[in-house]
Amino acid sequence: MEERSSADAVVLEGVRKSFGEKVAIEELWLRIPAGCICGFLGPNGAGKTTTIRMIIGIFRPDAGQLRVLGQTDPSLVKHRLGYLPEEKGLYKKMRVRDLILYFAQLKGMAADRARQRANELLATLDLAEWADRKCEALSKGMGQKLQILVSLIHRPELVILDEPFSGLDPLSRDAMRDLILELRREGRTVIFSTHVMEQAEQLCDRVVLIDRGRKLVEGPVEEVRASAGRSVQVEAEGAVAWEQLPGVAGFSSHGRQADLTLAEGADPQRLLAALVGQARVRRFEVRATSLHEVFVRAVGGRRDADL
Amino acid sequence: MRISEVYLVAQREYLENLRTKAFWIGILTFPLIITLGICVPILLARAKEARSFAVLDHSGFLLRQVEEQAAAQDLAAAFSRAAEAYRRGGPAFAELPEALRGLALGLLPLEETQRGKVIEALVRGEAPADTFSLPEPARALLARREALLDWRQQVSAAELKDLDFPQGRYRRVEVPQDGSDPQARLNQMVAQGEIFAYFVIGPDPVAGPQDCKYVSRNLTDTELHDWFSGLATAAIRQQRLIRANLDPRTAQWVQAPLEFAGRRLDEGGAEQRVAFGDKARQWVPLAFVYLLWFAVFTSAQMLLNSTIEEKSSRVVEVLLSSVDAGELMAGKIAGTAASGLTVVGSWAVFISLAVAIVPGLLGASATAVAQIIANPFYLASFVVYFCLGYLFYAALLVSIGSMCNSLQETQNLMMPILIPMMIPLFAMVPLVQDPNGLLARVLSFIPPFTPFVMMNRAAGPPAPWEYLVTALLMVGSIALATWAAARIFRIGILLTGKRPRLREIWGWLRSGEAR
């Protein structure tokens, strides 16, 4: 057990959290091994940010146990955590260098060490000439770079990024992706939340899918996709009654194109044969289910169950 | 709570406040207001040129009598000043002319009303009607008249001005005797601004104001007119008594008002004379209440602004990943307290410096006021009540700040705080007049008012138990307000969108699940 806890960066055991009447997290069990990239997926309002805030110790769970970097009280490991919130803010009137120093010292770095690190990082990020300017003078992109710098200056073991890709242009997205991969190479654990499935699919070793305060799916990306079964992407001309095709467990149709989920043990060949009888097939591709489909199905399924 | 984190937050808060305009306005306003308030009237009075005037006296006696009256007034003023200088001690007294010094020593033991009578007698050269009622030392003083008159004969105009004699304010010029019509000549002088005004005294002013007039281009400034006509009236009154065959002494006695000498009972129950300083001591706390109010309010406002800045810019998210909400709040309150104390401290230094340096520069009354202001008891209460008041209102405003996303949003919530805060300001004057009355006592025990009201009553002063109990109540309220603020702050600071409703806030306070 001791061994496991040291290998796990974050463990949540039956964690609950509510605000007044509103239940934010119903009961969450989670295990995030150290050194991996873990994606928190879920629609808006699913409880991703609340979970993240519990992990960094801003909120305390009402019930259940939480272990972060081996400690049950996250506030004891704050200096080993790096956090980049979704809404990034800076003190407008502070000088860039003072701001970095301030946050670095809050993270427990000694002033001279922090100053040295700040200079290094400012140079790497091409912000050196801005060091003595006020933050309000920075462009939006530079502000984001500075934010990232601030959250990583103390070389945290666990980096938590809340919606790191939202509002980024394509170039910055790539830079952010590279940064996340770089962090893993250095042996750090990265948790990030997103609702863009393609990114999670590209980047994550593991994913956790949350909706309305409940965990729906958790595990390594490949397993999650495989457990959802195979799926078929079809492009066909003509009216097709998708749900009546043999072996189709679910579908989402986008006009001529449709994503079909195969039932367990279903044979794609039989499906194709049936399809050819109904319409003119332009394309037929058998593949592992995408996270997007897993997401839509899991969340949609729950919504349907509620109705 | 980790002290090093609180310290870091406080340090940043302090340095940021140092960069705000509000901070420097706070530091500079007070010395500026005090300096202007004390210096401008004095400098204006000094800079004012002596008003020159002429008198065309057709009666042949009135002008001379008026001048005698004026000299009497000057001497009376000089004596009072000498007595006051001696009472306060210090170099001012030693610098007075010998004739005045001796007299002042004799005058000092007397009551203010008796002092007035002796001075009048000295100046006039005749004993007042009720001389017999004067105590022995006062009567002995009358014998000094010769020496005094000698001094008055020899004293130069410059010396008189240094002694701040009223005579310094007006200068009479002779009517030119060049054979032309004197009145036409005077009109010309007034028109050309050579003199400010001239008086014409009719041939028989005792009979009535026939042919008496005052000619000037400026009839709004009546100072010269009032001074001269006052003296002339007094002189004419004497003449009329003589013409009516009344003994002037009898008349004086008839006219003399019945005066009740003011006495203040000290703590031991002993009677104390009322001096100018006592009045000032009573009113000076007023100034402190204003300053206290200003200092508490601006400091708490600074805290509100910086809380809203952190919240609306979302810096707070990053902060909270490094420090606990309680540490953040404590650091902010402490940092702003330090800025507030810097402002208040700069005022205290300013006052102490002013009291040390200024007496040489300014008049005696300014010095007296400055000394009362520099009273260590007042200064210490001021600093203590600043801390108590600030901590209380800081807790309220930091919770409001944590719930709002912009300054506009705070306005509705500020109303219920601002209105009670005005009450001590409205109550200021009644409290000064009755510092230990029922209203004063009741208000002292209402914690939001305690700092202002107790400062207001400082001249009383309130009983030690009142200080103790009100302070304990205040500390309790601060603890309660801070406890509530911590709960509201934790949740409020992370909320976005709509401001929480009162019921929700109540829920936060009740449930311990604030974080």
Side-chain angles (χ1 to χ4, degrees), chain B residues 20 320 383 386 412 459:
Chain B
T20 59
L320 288 182
V383 171
F386 168 76
N412 284 338

Side-chain angles (χ1 to χ4, degrees), chain B residues 3 71 108 133 155 168 207 360 392 397 399 435 466 502 504:
Chain B
I3 295 303
L108 204 63
S133 74
V155 74
F392 181 79
L397 265 64
S399 13
E466 282 185 273
L502 268 180
E504 293 173 64

Side-chain angles (χ1 to χ4, degrees), chain A residues 17 53 60 83 89 91 107, chain B residues 12 310 313 317 321 515:
Chain A
K17 178 73 193 170
R53 284 179 177 173
R60 216 161 256 179
Y83 174 52
Y91 286 108
K107 282 295 185 187
Chain B
R12 192 206 79 89
E310 272 166 10
S313 71
E317 288 255 2
S321 73
R515 45 179 286 184

Side-chain angles (χ1 to χ4, degrees), chain A residues 29-50:
Chain A
W29 299 76
L30 262 190
R31 204 172 64 76
I32 301 170
C36 76
I37 299 177
C38 177
F40 273 25
L41 314 180
N44 295 327
K48 291 173 294 190
T49 299
T50 305

